[in-house]
């Protein structure tokens, strides 16, 4: 399995396209971990609207930056390999 970590902050307008670009790959043994860096927009609602069991949403308790979001995604990942995708 490949874990794809997508750090995100206030990306309600682009996050769906970013997640779907990963989900639409021909290789399907993946998990997509969206780590929301305490967004103040509707990022959570957009991610939650994606009906695919491979998508996992995590919201950080405080805005900590992209590196912290990536590191949290690594901790939560279950894949043998980890990839990063920008939101």
């Amino acid at each position: 399995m490949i874990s794809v970590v997508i750090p995100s902050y206030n990306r309600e307008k682009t996050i769906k396209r970013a997640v779907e670009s990963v989900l639409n790959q021909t290789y399907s043994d993946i998990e997509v971990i969206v780590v929301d860096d305490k967004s103040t927009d509707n990022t959570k609602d957009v991610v939650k609207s994606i009906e695919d069991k491979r998508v996992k949403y995590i919201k950080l308790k405080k805005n900590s930056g992209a590196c912290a979001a990536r590191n949290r995604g690594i901790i939560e990942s279950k894949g043998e390999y980890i990839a990063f995708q920008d939101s």
Side-chain angles (χ1 to χ4, degrees), residues 27-73:
Y27 187 80
S28 63
D29 189 17
I30 60 171
E31 67 175 347
V32 179
I33 303 169
V34 177
V35 184
D36 186 345
D37 194 19
K38 195 148 174 57
S39 293
T40 57
D41 65 0
N42 292 318
T43 296
K44 178 181 179 180
D45 295 333
V46 173
V47 174
K48 292 288 188 176
S49 74
I50 301 169
E51 296 182 14
D52 192 306
K53 64 181 179 159
R54 299 174 292 172
V55 178
K56 181 176 184 179
Y57 174 83
I58 299 166
K59 185 165 187 170
L60 300 182
K61 293 181 180 180
K62 68 176 193 165
N63 183 267
S64 303
C67 290
R70 285 185 186 95
N71 287 336
R72 177 65 185 274

Side-chain angles (χ1 to χ4, degrees), residues 2 13 24 32 37 80:
I2 296 174
K13 294 181 179 173
N24 290 331
V32 179
D37 194 19
E80 182 177 356

